[in-house]
C-alpha cells in the first residue's frame, strides 16, 4: 500500500510550498506496486552484506566545519512504505542507497560505500592497499581511508586506480596520496588511455554549463524529504568539498593488458565510449573478483545525462559487457562496481551481466528499428517498451537513466537534433515562440483556464508544455508560474527516475522562489591546473573569448615556458583564438618567457601577472598591453543562469 501523506497543508493556503500528490499520481503508484516484484528482497541482503563499521550518519566536514556529505537529512527513508509523493520503486532504490560504511566484499577486498555518490574499492596486496577510485572530494577520500585503516590497520597505499574520467572517481585523490607520496612519485596512478584528455573536455571546458544543469539532475539544492530530493539513482547526491585532478603515471591501453601491483595480478579490459569516454574494467584472479567500473550497476544508466555530455554508445556498451562475459564468465565469485552494492555467486553475476548487456542492446536496436520506420525521437520514446524479462529485473530499472530519454539519446547519436520536419528546422527561440503560442491560444487567461481543467484530469505532460510557453512570454505572471510549478511537482512525484524527479522538483522550486543565491564558484585548484597540458589551457581560454567583442582585432603572442621547454604562438584572428605548438612568430605583438607553473599560479589566482613581472619571474618582449587587451575580451561565466524562465541578462 502507498502510505498516506502526513502533516499536509491545504493547497489553497500555501501556493509557494510543495503540494499533495494528486489522485492520478496515487493511482499510478498503486499500479507500480502491483506490477513490480517487491517481494524480491535479495538486494537489501546484499547491500548490507559484509558490513564492518561506519561514521555516524556518514557525516563528513571540511576543516572549517562546513558539511561535505551527510545522510542524516535522509532519515525519513527509514519508513519502509513509500509516501504518495514518491514512486514506490524509486523509494526502494533510495532506501538501498542508505547503506553506508566499510564493507568486506571478499577477504582482502573492501568497499567504502555511502560516503559519496561513488564507491571506493580497496584491494589488499602483499604489504599495502590498492585504492580504486578516490571519490569526489579530498575530505571524503580522507574519511574513507581513515575508516578503512580503523578496521584493517595502517596499510600504505600501493597504487591508485582511476576506472574512468568522471569527477566522482578521481576528485578526492589528494585525500589518498599525501604530499610526500606525490613528491617522490613512487605510488603509481593507473588510468585508462586518454584519461586526461576526456577528464578535461567533459569537466572543464563545458564545466560552467554542466555544473548549473547538474543542479537539476542531482537536486542538491532541494530540501530532502518525501516532497523533495530522495536520491539520484546512483546514490544520494553529489558531494561537495575540495577537488583536485592528478595526472596518471601509467595508462592502460588495450584489453588484455596486465599489471602486477603489490603482488596482485590485474587483468584489464578497455571500455571506451561506454559510460565514460575513457573507462576500463578489471579482473583479479587471486580474489576471483570482477569490477566493471560503472558499466554494470543496479540501474539502467544514462546514455545522455541531463547535465550534458557526449552521447554514450549503447551498442559499444553492450559489446563490452558481452566481452566481459567471454573473458571472465563463470570465473568471478564476486562482482563489485564503483556505485551501488556487489553481487555474489557465478550464476547471479553472469545473469546480471547478460541482462545489462541485453538492456543496452535492446534499447539500441529497437530505437534504430523504429527510427528506420520513420519514427522521431519523441515517437520512439512513446512506443518502446522493455521486454518483461528486463522490465522485472530491479537492476534494469530507470532510476538514473531511463528508457524514455535513453532512446532519444540514441536517436541524437545517429541523426542529430533535427527530425527532418522542416517545421522544426528554424524554430523561434522560447520567448518569441511563447508570445505567439499565447496569442494563438487566446491569451494568458484562456490558456490558464484550459490548463487548470486539464490539471484536474492529470494531463500534466501537455500542461507543462503549454504553461512553459506562457512563462516565457510573461515571466512575471504569478498564476502561470504557480500552476507550472504545481505541474512540474506532480510530474516529479510520478517519476521512477530520480533524475527526472529532481529536474521537475527543482524546476518547481525555481518557479516559486527564483534561482538560489550562491557565492561565486571558487577558482580552479592549482593541482588540477598542473595536471593539464598547456594545449588544454589554451582550449579553455578559447571558449571564454567573446567573439563579438573581438570583431576586427588581431593579436599575436609568443609564449616560452622554461620549465617544460614548450613554445607556442597564440593568435587572435577572425574572432577565434588559435595556437601553434613548437613555434614562435617573428612579427608577434609580444612575447612572454616564464615557467608553466607560474601560469598555473596566475590562473589559480595565487598571484597576478603584474606581480610576477615585478618580481622578475616573467620576461617580456614587445607590447605587453596586447595581453591585457586579449584578456579584456574574455567572458567570466556566471555560476547561475535561468532555465525555466527567460534570461534576465542579455548575452551576445
Amino acid at each position: 500500500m502507498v502510505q498516506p501523506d502526513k502533516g499536509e497543508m491545504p493547497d489553497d493556503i500555501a501556493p509557494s510550498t510543495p503540494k499533495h500528490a494528486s489522485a492520478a499520481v496515487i493511482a499510478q503508484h498503486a499500479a507500480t506496486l502491483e506490477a513490480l516484484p517487491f517481494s524480491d528482497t535479495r538486494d537489501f541482503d546484499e547491500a548490507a552484506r559484509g558490513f564492518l563499521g561506519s561514521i555516524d550518519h556518514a557525516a563528513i566536514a571540511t576543516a572549517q566545519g562546513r558539511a561535505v556529505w551527510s545522510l542524516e537529512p535522509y532519515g525519513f527513508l527509514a519508513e519502509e512504505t513509500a509516501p504518495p509523493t514518491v514512486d514506490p520503486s524509486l523509494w526502494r532504490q533510495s532506501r538501498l542507497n542508505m547503506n553506508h560504511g566499510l564493507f568486506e566484499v571478499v577477504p582482502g577486498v573492501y568497499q567504502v560505500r555511502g560516503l559519496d555518490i561513488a564507491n571506493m574499492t580497496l584491494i589488499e596486496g602483499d604489504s599495502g592497499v590498492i585504492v580504486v577510485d578516490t571519490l569526489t572530494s579530498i575530505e571524503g577520500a580522507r574519511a574513507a581511508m581513515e575508516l578503512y585503516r580503523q578496521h584493517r590497520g595502517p596499510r600504505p597505499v600501493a597504487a591508485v586506480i582511476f576506472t574512468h574520467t568522471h569527477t566522482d572517481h578521481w576528485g578526492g585523490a589528494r585525500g589518498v596520496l599525501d604530499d610526500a607520496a606525490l613528491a617522490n612519485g613512487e605510488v603509481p596512478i593507473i588510468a585508462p588511455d586518454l584519461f586526461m584528455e576526456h577528464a578535461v573536455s567533459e569537466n572543464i571546458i563545458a564545466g560552467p554549463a554542466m555544473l548549473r544543469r547538474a543542479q537539476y539532475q542531482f537536486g542538491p539544492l532541494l530540501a530532502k524529504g518525501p516532497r523533495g530530493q530522495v536520491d539520484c539513482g546512483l546514490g544520494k547526491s553529489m558531494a561537495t568539498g575540495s577537488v583536485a585532478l592528478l595526472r596518471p603515471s601509467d595508462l592502460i591501453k588495450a584489453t588484455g593488458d596486465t599489471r602486477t601491483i603489490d603482488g596482485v595480478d590485474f587483468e584489464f579490459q578497455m571500455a571506451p565510449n561506454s559510460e565514460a569516454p575513457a573507462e576500463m574494467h578489471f579482473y583479479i584472479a587471486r580474489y576471483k573478483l570482477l569490477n566493471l567500473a560503472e558499466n554494470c550497476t543496479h540501474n539502467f544508466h544514462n546514455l545522455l545525462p541531463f547535465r550534458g555530455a557526449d552521447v554514450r554508445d549503447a551498442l559499444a556498451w553492450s559489446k563490452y559487457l558481452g566481452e566481459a562475459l567471454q573473458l571472465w564468465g563463470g570465473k568471478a565469485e564476486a562482482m563489485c562496481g564503483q556505485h551501488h552494492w556487489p553481487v555474489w555467486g557465478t550464476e547471479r553475476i553472469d545473469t546480471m551481466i547478460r541482462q545489462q548487456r541485453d538492456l543496452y542492446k535492446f534499447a539500441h536496436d529497437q530505437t534504430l528499428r523504429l527510427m528506420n520506420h520513420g519514427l522521431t525521437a519523441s515517437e520512439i520514446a512513446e512506443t518502446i517498451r522493455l521486454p518483461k524479462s528486463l522490465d522485472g529485473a530491479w537492476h534494469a530499472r530507470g532510476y538514473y537513466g531511463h528508457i524514455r530519454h535513453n532512446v532519444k539519446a540514441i536517436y541524437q547519436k545517429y541523426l542529430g537534433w533535427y527530425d527532418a520536419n522542416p517545421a522544426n528546422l528554424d524554430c523561434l527561440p522560447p520567448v518569441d515562440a511563447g508570445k505567439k503560442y499565447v496569442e494563438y491560444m487566446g491569451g494568458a487567461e484562456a490558456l490558464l483556464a484550459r490548463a487548470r481543467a486539464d490539471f484536474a484530469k492529470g494531463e500534466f505532460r501537455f500542461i507543462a508544455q503549454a504553461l512553459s510557453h506562457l512563462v516565457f512570454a510573461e515571466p512575471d505572471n504569478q498564476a502561470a508560474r504557480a500552476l507550472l510549478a504545481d505541474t512540474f511537482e506532480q510530474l516529479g512525484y510520478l517519476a521512477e527516475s530520480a533524475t527526472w524527479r529532481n529536474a521537475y522538483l527543482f524546476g518547481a522550486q525555481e518557479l516559486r522562489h527564483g534561482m538560489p543565491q550562491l557565492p561565486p564558484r571558487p577558482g580552479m585548484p592549482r593541482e588540477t591546473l598542473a595536471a593539464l597540458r598547456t594545449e588544454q589551457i589554451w582550449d579553455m581560454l578559447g571558449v571564454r573569448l567573446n567573439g563579438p567583442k573581438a570583431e576586427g582585432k588581431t593579436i599575436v603572442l609568443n609564449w616560452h615556458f622554461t620549465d617544460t621547454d614548450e613554445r607556442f604562438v597564440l593568435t587572435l584572428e577572425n574572432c577565434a583564438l588559435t595556437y601553434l605548438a613548437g613555434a614562435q612568430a617573428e612579427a608577434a605583438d609580444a612575447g612572454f618567457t616564464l615557467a608553466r607553473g607560474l601560469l598555473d599560479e596566475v590562473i589559480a589566482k595565487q598571484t597576478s601577472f603584474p606581480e610576477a613581472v615585478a618580481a622578475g619571474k616573467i620576461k617580456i618582449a614587445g607590447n605587453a598591453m596586447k595581453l591585457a587587451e586579449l584578456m579584456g575580451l574574455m567572458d567570466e561565466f556566471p555560476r547561475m543562469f535561468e532555465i525555466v524562465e527567460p534570461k534576465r541578462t542579455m548575452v551576445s
Side-chain angles (χ1 to χ4, degrees):
M1 294 291 293
V2 176
Q3 177 179 307
D5 224 349
K6 299 175 181 177
E8 300 282 5
M9 291 183 66
D11 290 349
D12 59 351
I13 65 169
S16 64
T17 60
K19 304 298 196 303
H20 299 283
S22 67
V25 170
I26 293 171
Q28 179 167 310
H29 291 345
T32 296
L33 286 169
E34 292 294 321
L36 295 178
F38 284 89
S39 61
D40 177 2
T41 60
R42 285 179 300 175
D43 284 335
F44 287 91
D45 296 333
E46 292 184 333
R49 178 172 167 173
F51 176 72
L52 297 177
S54 192
I55 303 166
D56 286 346
H57 304 299
I60 301 167
T62 66
Q64 294 74 36
R66 182 175 63 83
V68 169
W69 180 268
S70 176
L71 295 183
E72 187 171 11
Y74 295 95
F76 61 89
L77 286 165
E79 290 282 349
E80 184 175 349
T81 305
T85 52
V86 185
D87 175 88
S89 175
L90 175 58
W91 187 261
R92 177 187 184 275
Q93 181 81 349
S94 303
R95 297 184 70 241
L96 283 162
N97 283 334
M98 284 295 287
N99 288 276
H100 61 87
L102 180 69
F103 298 81
E104 182 181 80
V105 181
V106 297
V109 179
Y110 302 86
Q111 281 195 313
V112 175
R113 303 199 292 272
L115 302 194
D116 190 282
I117 188 175
N119 300 337
M120 177 187 288
T121 302
L122 301 120
I123 299 162
E124 293 180 352
D126 292 347
S127 59
V129 62
I130 300 140
V131 179
V132 180
D133 290 350
T134 60
L135 308 183
T136 305
S137 73
I138 295 169
E139 295 86 353
R142 190 173 291 129
M145 293 303 297
E146 289 173 359
L147 179 61
Y148 166 76
R149 285 171 172 146
Q150 176 185 338
H151 292 273
R152 297 297 300 162
R155 287 174 170 264
V157 175
V160 170
I161 296 175
F162 298 145
T163 60
H164 62 287
T165 50
H166 294 148
T167 311
D168 51 323
H169 299 266
W170 53 257
R174 286 298 302 265
V176 173
L177 297 176
D178 58 22
D179 290 341
L182 289 172
N184 63 37
E186 293 179 357
V187 178
I189 301 175
I190 302 167
D193 194 29
L194 300 178
F195 175 88
M196 285 300 299
E197 288 80 355
H198 292 299
V200 172
S201 64
E202 277 217 320
N203 297 292
I204 294 177
I205 290 179
M210 290 171 67
L211 288 169
R212 169 62 170 139
R213 290 166 60 108
Q215 294 171 0
Y216 275 73
Q217 178 173 332
F218 296 104
L221 302 177
L222 286 168
K224 313 296 187 287
R227 299 193 193 186
Q229 202 260 5
V230 299
D231 206 74
C232 71
L234 280 179
K236 280 285 156 268
S237 187
M238 292 299 293
T240 57
S242 305
V243 172
L245 175 61
L246 298 183
R247 180 178 289 276
S249 58
D250 183 10
L251 296 177
I252 304 300
K253 293 181 176 289
T255 295
D257 279 1
T258 60
R259 296 289 188 276
T260 299
I261 309 168
D262 196 21
V264 180
D265 294 331
F266 285 72
E267 182 181 352
F268 291 94
Q269 177 199 12
M270 302 304 294
N273 301 312
S274 53
E275 186 271 337
E279 190 151 354
M280 65 186 184
H281 309 151
F282 62 83
Y283 177 72
I284 303 173
R286 176 192 287 196
Y287 295 119
K288 297 182 179 178
L289 176 83
L290 178 59
N291 186 307
L292 296 181
E294 201 170 324
N295 282 329
C296 191
T297 54
H298 288 273
N299 55 210
F300 193 5
H301 211 293
N302 263 315
L303 296 179
L304 180 55
F306 295 168
R307 63 175 171 83
D310 289 337
V311 177
R312 296 158 183 175
D313 190 337
L315 182 58
W317 196 323
S318 175
K319 289 179 178 180
Y320 295 135
L321 293 177
E323 184 180 50
L325 268 178
Q326 183 180 6
L327 290 169
W328 302 305
K331 295 180 181 179
E333 295 181 1
M335 178 174 71
C336 64
Q338 295 309 117
H339 291 272
H340 299 140
W341 52 95
V343 295
W344 288 266
T346 55
E347 182 179 350
R348 181 149 162 75
I349 291 167
D350 290 359
T351 297
M352 181 173 176
I353 297 173
R354 282 198 305 272
Q355 288 179 323
Q356 287 273 313
R357 174 199 65 190
D358 296 344
L359 176 63
Y360 294 97
K361 189 66 160 62
F362 174 88
H364 174 273
D365 290 358
Q366 295 307 303
T367 298
L368 269 289
R369 180 181 70 84
L370 294 170
M371 191 174 79
N372 285 323
H373 277 292
L375 274 67
T376 64
S378 59
E379 290 169 333
I380 295 169
E382 205 68 22
T383 302
I384 198 165
R385 297 290 183 274
L386 289 176
K388 292 179 180 179
S389 57
L390 296 178
D391 196 51
W394 286 116
H395 64 82
R397 304 298 301 177
Y399 303 119
Y400 190 54
H402 193 281
I403 186 66
R404 289 178 64 84
H405 76 248
N406 277 343
V407 299
K408 294 177 181 179
I410 296 168
Y411 184 98
Q412 178 177 321
K413 181 175 180 61
Y414 284 92
L415 295 183
W417 60 269
Y418 178 45
D419 65 2
N421 181 345
N424 300 319
L425 179 58
D426 192 22
C427 296
L428 290 175
V431 171
D432 295 335
K435 291 176 179 178
K436 296 302 291 185
Y437 275 110
V438 172
E439 178 186 338
Y440 275 43
M441 291 180 183
E445 289 307 315
L447 194 160
L448 281 166
R450 291 185 174 93
R452 291 186 184 106
D454 282 349
F455 190 97
K457 302 174 192 174
E459 296 180 6
F460 304 120
R461 290 168 63 194
F462 183 75
I463 300 169
Q465 290 179 268
L467 286 174
S468 182
H469 287 306
L470 178 51
V471 167
F472 273 84
E474 301 178 13
D476 296 322
N477 186 321
Q478 295 304 312
R481 293 177 74 99
L483 187 53
L484 181 55
D486 290 350
T487 303
F488 280 165
E489 190 168 64
Q490 296 302 314
L491 288 166
Y493 294 166
L494 280 166
E496 181 183 31
S497 168
T499 54
W500 287 39
R501 177 184 174 90
N502 293 337
Y504 283 129
L505 295 187
F506 195 50
Q509 178 173 301
E510 292 203 340
L511 285 165
R512 288 168 175 160
H513 305 292
M515 290 189 300
Q517 299 299 309
L518 299 179
R521 187 175 294 110
M524 193 177 298
R526 172 74 172 75
E527 295 87 352
T528 299
L529 288 162
L532 303 182
R533 291 181 294 105
T534 306
E535 290 88 345
Q536 294 167 324
I537 298 284
W538 301 142
D539 288 339
M540 189 170 62
L541 198 62
V543 301
R544 289 181 51 205
L545 178 73
N546 186 311
K549 284 185 180 179
E551 184 68 49
K553 294 183 180 295
T554 300
I555 299 173
V556 180
L557 303 176
N558 283 337
W559 295 85
H560 175 206
F561 298 109
T562 54
D563 50 347
T564 59
D565 195 27
E566 295 176 296
R567 288 172 170 79
F568 293 90
V569 181
L570 194 63
T571 302
L572 169 63
E573 190 177 20
N574 300 315
C575 301
L577 190 65
T578 61
Y579 58 87
L580 184 63
Q584 300 279 267
E586 290 185 8
D589 295 299
F592 303 91
T593 301
L594 67 158
R596 164 56 207 276
L598 180 60
L599 180 65
D600 297 342
E601 292 177 19
V602 171
I603 297 172
K605 299 181 179 178
Q606 294 176 347
T607 187
S608 69
F609 224 80
E611 288 171 344
V613 171
K617 296 180 179 180
I618 301 176
K619 294 180 180 179
I620 301 175
N623 183 3
M625 294 307 296
K626 283 294 183 178
L627 176 60
E629 182 181 351
L630 175 64
M631 297 310 297
L633 303 175
M634 298 294 158
D635 279 354
E636 290 292 338
F637 297 125
R639 185 170 190 173
M640 306 294 285
F641 52 79
E642 293 83 357
I643 290 178
V644 293
E645 61 180 310
K647 303 291 182 291
R648 302 284 180 166
T649 302
M650 294 300 296
V651 179
S652 62

